[in-house]
Amino acid sequence: MEIIRHKSSTEIVDSGTMGRIRRTNWLITNWYRPQCYYDSGDWRATWEMDGGGALMNQGIHGVDLISWMMGGIESVDALCKTQVWDIDVEDTAVVRVKYKNGAIGVIECTTCAYPGLDNIFSIHGSEGSISFGNDGFLIWGLKDKSIKMPETQGTMGGMNCKYNIAVNTGHDYQVEDMARAVLENRNPAITGEEAMESVKIILKIYQSSREGKEIKI
């Protein structure tokens, strides 16, 4: 699990240190999955078994995180297309987002970006900007110079998250927490109800793309 020894980016957003948050410039998931990945299982990249494509399978984790950090998504206006791979679902999506806190932003997700790049989250406020990826912070630009950039250790995914469970400590944490929740008769850190909220957002994005209009969440 990523270790943060000072204030996390979420705490910085919540504290008001970044001022009025009015833009999340990007949530970018530029990953790569070759055709052989999709051909390796009949369930992959199908509406019936996978529930969708790049957004539902790969991008949903980033959508979950940015929605949580920004206090929820109000509406989406999306374009989802199959640009490269021979699959029934989208391999590329671009989404204009309105957040409940009044901010606006863009979500991009693809599995066509060879050789597979880092996730990038960028949040901009009147008093500073923060940008981070799976391996740590890329930008820590706050007017309040007394707040130092958090020290991080480990990774939450890796450049392509690949099929690369070995370096993905985020997966390790989730599996361990779920096992302990069963043994200790408690809820896991992320409940099924919370996870369903992210699925709901993705489904609204698909609806927006099909209907060609903005959709309220």
Side-chain angles (χ1 to χ4, degrees):
M1 182 64 173
E2 187 178 63
I3 298 172
I4 298 181
R5 299 199 178 104
H6 300 297
K7 289 188 176 182
S8 70
S9 51
T10 304
E11 291 171 330
I12 292 296
V13 171
D14 290 343
S15 70
T17 302
M18 293 181 67
R20 291 173 62 84
I21 307 296
R22 285 295 172 261
R23 187 161 58 99
T24 59
N25 195 24
W26 298 112
L27 156 56
I28 305 178
T29 301
N30 278 336
W31 285 359
Y32 183 76
R33 296 292 187 272
Q35 186 65 47
C36 61
Y37 165 83
Y38 292 112
D39 294 341
S40 66
D42 292 341
W43 64 273
R44 292 191 188 279
T46 62
W47 292 113
E48 295 79 8
M49 299 295 291
D50 213 359
L55 271 171
M56 187 64 83
N57 196 307
Q58 284 81 28
I60 191 169
H61 309 296
V63 171
D64 176 74
L65 179 58
I66 200 68
S67 175
W68 173 63
M69 290 184 67
M70 298 298 290
I73 292 176
E74 179 180 297
S75 68
V76 293
D77 190 355
L79 179 61
C80 304
K81 298 188 69 176
T82 309
Q83 296 282 80
V84 175
W85 306 124
D86 183 18
I87 55 178
D88 294 331
V89 295
E90 89 287 350
D91 59 25
T92 301
V94 178
V95 188
R96 179 172 59 87
V97 181
K98 293 181 182 177
Y99 295 94
K100 291 180 180 179
N101 66 1
I104 59 175
V106 176
I107 291 172
E108 291 186 6
C109 182
T110 185
T111 54
C112 305
Y114 182 85
L117 310 176
D118 198 0
N119 283 323
I120 301 297
F121 298 80
S122 296
I123 301 172
H124 305 281
S126 59
E127 303 298 311
S129 294
I130 293 174
S131 182
F132 60 94
N134 286 322
D135 294 325
F137 290 94
L138 306 173
I139 296 171
W140 185 266
L142 302 179
K143 287 185 179 179
D144 186 348
K145 303 302 182 184
S146 68
I147 302 177
K148 303 303 181 183
M149 185 175 71
E151 299 175 22
T152 60
Q153 178 179 327
T155 175
M156 295 303 289
M159 290 296 249
N160 194 18
C161 198
K162 198 71 175 157
Y163 320 94
N164 197 352
I165 302 302
V167 300
N168 195 333
T169 56
H171 286 167
D172 293 344
Y173 172 79
Q174 295 288 347
V175 172
E176 180 180 352
D177 178 70
M178 178 60 72
R180 290 187 179 278
V182 173
L183 293 173
E184 297 167 7
N185 193 30
R186 61 168 174 81
N187 284 331
I190 306 298
T191 66
E193 290 81 5
E194 290 176 290
M196 279 300 297
E197 286 300 309
S198 301
V199 174
K200 177 181 176 181
I201 292 169
I202 301 296
L203 293 177
K204 291 294 185 180
I205 289 173
Y206 288 154
Q207 180 184 351
S208 172
S209 182
R210 287 195 307 271
E211 298 181 6
K213 64 180 183 182
E214 181 180 2
I215 297 292
K216 299 286 186 180
I217 303 297

